[in-house]
Every structure is written in structure tokens, then in C-alpha cells.
Amino acid sequence: MNFTKIMIKNFKCINEASIELAPLTIFVGPNGSGKTSILEAIALFAQSNRRKLEEAVTREAFGTMTEEIKPLVNFEEINDIFYKRDLRNELSLGFEVELKEGELEEIMENLEGQRREWEEKARMDEKFSEGAKVFSEIVEKMKLGLEKNRRISYEYRMKRDEKELHTHILTIGNIKIECPMEKTTSETEVEGFPLEVDITGHAYFLPETIILSTKGQTVLNLMKVMEILRRRVGDIERDREIFYISANRGYFPWEYEGKEKNEVGVNGEYTIEVISKILAERDLKKISDFEFFCSLFGVKKPWSGWKRRRDILTSSYLDPFIGSPYNLKFPHLGYGSKQILPVITQIVKEEGKVILVEEPEISMHPEYQRRLPFLFAYAVSKGHQVIVTTHSSYFVLALGEAIQGEKLTPEKYGVTEEREIKLDPNNVIVYHVDRDREGVKIKKLEFAEDGFIKEGIPSFVNVERKLFERILR
């Protein structure tokens, strides 16, 4: 799982939120409550990697971006991402990760290497003894904290008032390093030690490194920590880790010109090509998974491949009711099928990614909405972290079926083979998101022992109560 927590402040309609994440996190609530803003904030992690936030926000500001590399989210101007569109508000975006075993080893080895360098310097020249002492005290506490709690958090703040201020807050174990920067150098205090800070690219969302010094001597170089954080968020140009599938999807062309894509795209526009790559890999398990989950949502034998010319792709599928030959193409699919196909494709194609999905239930019959938990349980089993927004009570309430475990059979579900799917209740969190004049309200919904939501979905229950009262008059 890439992120254990996200922190958002003064971003779009969100005044302030600190949200614990699970392998499957679902946000449900009224329109305009801030659910999509949460997904967009996470998408900006990747979009802003190695860039200034301002450069990452608008399509025109990408500069080096080409038509083939599209932003996950884009806005008209920088004001659009500030709470109340007021640049005087301090915008803050941050996340927390739990280090994998290999990542922890990388950091510990890097710190140990710096320790040996300091010992050698202090042995050769007494003027380095003070720096060695500062390094030793900070790093020993840092290492002890990491051994107890393998979590690192990073937060970036930007404020434009009389001056432009960029603040980087890095918490490693139980050591907090807060660096307010108007330029590449500044001052801070860590564990009672006054230190100088040097951040090349201080205006970047995730700079290459943070260097702490005392009296001109480098005390600690945090390049390895920042490298791991940048790896976690990935980059939209290369090493993609975060994928965003928006509600503005569902269009399939009759024919498609290949663009060498390995992701379905924000609007699902590259789905045909990614399907062709899944089939071309000849990975029988992956193909079987793809066909199984397509059949779970009523799409039989989906296929995509090259049409005579090597640069033109076409598609086909089998109608599950009339048994038509392979002469139906994806544009013939019902709109609900077109909506879910990019989601299935992205989940099957990769492993261990962050997949943001906006309203997977669009145009789906309640029976198919009820099956969504099985698809996302599979995604979690592949190491994905899936973060979803929804307006579907069927999807949320049906989580209990996946938590209890369900045998999906061809007779009952129309799938290609029999499979049993079970979702660990510890791997899912559901939040109800609402908003009033005071700001966004995010409430974690509790599960009962049987895996179903205890008290229903608050804003949905209100609507149901009003309707029942009207019926019973």
C-alpha cells in the first residue's frame, strides 16, 4: 500500500482534512461535498513530482509535456486549487507512507554511511566534532523511531501573501523537520539544534533533497528519504504509480491508432490499446482474470488487436444472450459496460499501483453495482491501493457480501469460471463526506461484525426516511 494517510488543507473546497487510508478506501456522500477534490489532491502528488505546484496545475504550464503525456488533473489557473480561490490561504498537501522492508534497509544503510563519514572527519580534524555530535543525536533518535514506527510523512505548504513561502515538513520516525523557505537556504531547529537548511528546488512539491548544516558543515543529507518518497508517488512522465480514472469516461472509437500506452488514461481513452497488450503478453492467468471480471459485468470474450496495419487497433466482444459471432465492437457496448471496462483493464494490467476511480457505478444496474466489491477485493489482492468515490448505496452496502466471502459461479453470476472472493475487513475503510458553511466533514463509517455498514449511509438514510414518510401518509 502506497499511502497510509493523506493531509489536505485549503485545497479547493477542503478547508482541512487528515484521512487514514486502507488498501480500499471509499468516499460516499452528496454531490459537491469534496469527494472528487480528495482524488484530485492525490493525483497532484504524482503530477507535481519534480515540479513546482504552479507548473503542475494548468495544462499550459506543463512546458515539456507533449500531447502524448496528459495531466491527471488540470485547472484554468493556480487560484482554482486554493480554498475560496484565495491565494492568501496557506495551501497544504501531504501524505504518510509505511516503509517496506527494503526501503527501511536503504535508509538505515544511508544513515550508517553518513555516520561513518562523520566519524572519519571528526577523527581527522577536531573542528568536525560538533557536527558529528549533532548528527549522532539526531540520527540515533531517528533510527530508534523508525525501528518502532516505520512511517514517514511529508507535507508541502505554499502561501502567497506579501512574499511567497514554501514550507517542507518531513517527519521520520519521531523526528520532525520543518523547513520554511523563501529561497533555497533558510534556518530551522531540529531536536533543539539550530540548523541551516539548503533545498535546491525549494519551490518544488517534492525536492530532490533536504540538506541540514551547522556552521557551514553538512550534518545530514536526506536525499535517500526524498528519493523513496518520490518513488512512492511516481511521475506522470515515467515510473507511473498513481492512475486516475475520472467519471468522464466511456467513449470507444470504432478504430484506434496505437500510441504506445500502458495505462487506460483519465478518460479511458487508451483502454483498447491496453487490452491488446494484456492479450499480447500471453500471460494465461492475467487473461483469465481479465475475462472473468469482464464477464462478471456482462461483457463476454472482449478482444482488441491490430487490424491489418500495425498502427490501427480494433475491438470485438461476444453478446452473452444471442451468441453473436465476433462482429460486435466496443462502441456497441451498453454505456454501463463502457464505464467499467477501463477500470477492469487498469486493475488487471499492473500490480501494486494506486488507482483512483471516480464513480465506478455510472450507468450500472443495481445488480452490477452490487458486484463492485468483488472487483476491488481482487484489486487489493494484486497489491493495488484503490481509492474510490461513489453515489451508490448498493456498492457500499454490498461490501458485506465480499467481507463474508462469496462463491461466484457461472450459474449465479454468468462468469467464465467458479471463483471464491473474500475481502479482509481490515483492508477497507468507508468515509461519508459532507459539507456545510464551516467546511468539509469526513466521518468514518463503522462495520458490524457481519461486514455490513452499521447504521447505513447518513445522507442516503435521510433521503430514504423522507420518501418512506411520504409513502406512509
Side-chain angles (χ1 to χ4, degrees):
M1 185 170 72
N2 267 27
F3 306 117
T4 53
K5 183 189 293 183
I6 54 171
M7 297 82 76
I8 307 169
K9 184 177 179 181
N10 291 326
F11 176 76
K12 292 188 68 184
C13 68
I14 301 174
N15 51 332
E16 188 166 11
S18 179
I19 307 168
E20 177 190 355
L21 300 180
L24 173 60
T25 306
I26 301 167
F27 296 98
V28 60
N31 295 93
S33 59
K35 302 185 301 298
T36 296
S37 294
I38 295 169
L39 298 192
E40 289 177 333
I42 298 170
L44 273 179
F45 294 165
Q47 196 161 304
S48 305
N49 192 358
R50 299 184 178 93
R51 298 178 190 87
K52 296 179 181 179
L53 189 60
E54 184 171 5
E55 293 175 351
V57 167
T58 60
R59 176 64 189 266
E60 292 73 18
F62 268 94
T64 59
M65 292 290 174
T66 65
E67 184 63 29
E68 285 71 37
I69 303 172
K70 297 180 179 179
L72 299 178
V73 291
N74 63 84
F75 304 89
E76 187 176 13
E77 55 184 356
I78 187 70
N79 305 57
D80 291 337
I81 69 170
F82 278 78
Y83 185 60
K84 297 182 178 179
R85 301 191 79 252
D86 189 345
L87 292 173
R88 293 171 297 180
N89 286 319
E90 185 177 54
L91 172 71
S92 177
L93 296 174
F95 59 89
E96 178 189 79
V97 301
E98 183 169 354
L99 294 173
K100 300 170 186 174
E101 191 62 44
E103 293 171 333
L104 181 62
E105 289 177 4
E106 283 185 67
I107 290 174
M108 291 300 197
E109 287 174 7
N110 180 266
L111 294 175
E112 179 60 23
Q114 292 188 60
R115 184 190 66 79
R116 288 195 297 268
E117 288 180 15
W118 267 112
E119 284 183 351
E120 181 64 20
K121 286 179 181 179
R123 187 179 67 80
M124 299 292 292
D125 192 331
E126 191 175 335
K127 72 179 182 181
F128 292 107
S129 59
E130 184 177 343
K133 179 185 175 183
V134 174
F135 173 87
S136 179
E137 289 202 27
I138 293 175
V139 169
E140 283 308 310
K141 290 182 180 179
M142 191 178 288
K143 290 167 69 176
L144 285 171
L146 283 175
E147 287 169 358
K148 292 179 181 177
N149 177 5
R150 292 164 36 158
R151 296 192 175 189
I152 293 178
S153 71
Y154 172 78
E155 188 175 352
Y156 168 79
R157 297 176 181 173
M158 179 172 72
K159 186 173 184 180
R160 287 182 166 184
D161 203 344
E162 294 179 1
K163 296 180 179 179
E164 185 169 300
L165 183 66
H166 304 268
T167 303
H168 305 267
I169 304 172
L170 186 61
T171 304
I172 307 171
N174 54 1
I175 301 293
K176 184 177 181 179
I177 303 166
E178 185 166 343
C179 311
M181 314 291 291
E182 291 181 11
K183 52 185 180 179
T184 56
T185 57
S186 183
E187 295 179 351
T188 191
E189 186 176 289
V190 180
E191 294 297 296
F193 294 106
L195 298 172
E196 298 102 42
V197 185
D198 189 330
I199 303 180
T200 302
H202 74 286
Y204 282 25
F205 172 72
L206 271 170
E208 184 175 346
T209 188
I210 296 174
I211 297 173
L212 303 176
S213 307
T214 181
K215 298 179 180 179
Q217 300 174 10
T218 297
V219 171
L220 184 59
N221 189 331
L222 294 167
M223 181 179 288
K224 178 56 66 175
V225 173
M226 298 305 292
E227 176 190 320
I228 288 170
L229 292 177
R230 288 200 309 276
R231 284 206 306 253
R232 285 297 192 96
V233 302
D235 190 290
I236 64 170
E237 288 187 86
R238 55 189 181 276
D239 305 322
R240 180 71 70 89
E241 292 294 327
I242 298 175
F243 298 85
Y244 183 28
I245 305 174
S246 80
N248 186 25
R249 62 183 184 273
Y251 168 75
F252 285 93
W254 296 102
E255 292 183 346
Y256 169 90
E257 186 175 343
K259 300 183 187 299
E260 295 300 318
K261 291 292 181 180
N262 289 306
E263 42 102 8
V264 299
V266 175
N267 307 124
E269 62 268 38
Y270 310 127
T271 302
I272 288 179
E273 181 164 5
V274 178
I275 291 173
S276 75
K277 292 187 175 182
I278 290 173
L279 299 177
E281 287 175 15
R282 300 184 184 278
D283 182 329
L284 297 182
K285 175 66 168 62
K286 186 179 287 189
I287 294 171
S288 174
D289 289 349
F290 179 65
E291 292 185 347
F292 176 87
F293 284 101
C294 284
S295 69
L296 183 63
F297 294 95
V299 181
K300 298 287 187 179
K301 291 289 182 183
W303 175 87
S304 173
W306 301 103
K307 180 182 178 180
R308 291 184 298 275
R309 289 170 49 194
R310 288 294 298 168
D311 58 344
I312 298 295
L313 284 160
T314 188
S315 61
S316 69
Y317 72 99
L318 181 68
D319 186 290
F321 299 105
I322 62 175
S324 63
Y326 290 129
N327 61 355
L328 295 177
K329 295 185 177 183
F330 290 166
H332 288 113
L333 285 166
Y335 199 61
S337 299
K338 292 176 183 176
Q339 289 286 325
I340 197 61
L341 191 53
V343 180
I344 296 170
T345 303
Q346 191 63 68
I347 288 172
V348 173
K349 179 67 175 69
E350 307 262 8
E351 292 185 358
K353 304 297 184 180
V354 178
I355 302 178
L356 313 174
V357 184
E358 200 173 359
E359 299 175 33
E361 75 279 2
I362 293 176
S363 294
M364 276 190 181
H365 185 277
E367 174 58 37
Y368 283 160
Q369 294 180 40
R370 171 194 160 221
R371 300 180 183 192
L372 287 169
F374 302 129
L375 172 62
F376 294 128
Y378 163 75
V380 169
S381 74
K382 284 175 63 70
H384 291 308
Q385 181 172 28
V386 183
I387 305 170
V388 184
T389 66
T390 185
H391 290 121
S392 171
S393 60
Y394 299 105
F395 168 29
V396 175
L397 297 177
L399 287 165
E401 292 185 309
I403 289 172
Q404 290 181 0
E406 179 81 356
K407 186 174 289 185
L408 309 183
T409 63
E411 296 76 21
K412 188 175 179 181
Y413 287 92
V415 289
T416 54
E417 60 182 314
E418 183 177 302
R419 291 193 186 188
E420 187 163 349
I421 294 182
K422 189 176 177 65
L423 176 64
D424 186 333
N426 296 313
N427 284 340
V428 59
I429 296 176
V430 179
Y431 289 104
H432 185 262
V433 185
D434 208 343
R435 187 158 66 109
D436 58 24
R437 292 186 179 277
E438 295 179 2
V440 171
K441 314 292 182 184
I442 301 176
K443 178 185 177 183
K444 184 177 179 180
L445 303 184
E446 299 298 327
F447 287 96
E449 289 185 7
D450 60 4
F452 291 92
I453 297 293
K454 272 186 179 179
E455 299 177 1
I457 304 166
S459 57
F460 287 49
V461 170
N462 293 338
V463 174
E464 290 160 2
R465 183 183 297 114
K466 290 175 184 176
L467 291 173
F468 278 120
E469 286 174 355
R470 188 69 179 266
I471 292 168
L472 294 173
R473 282 180 188 176

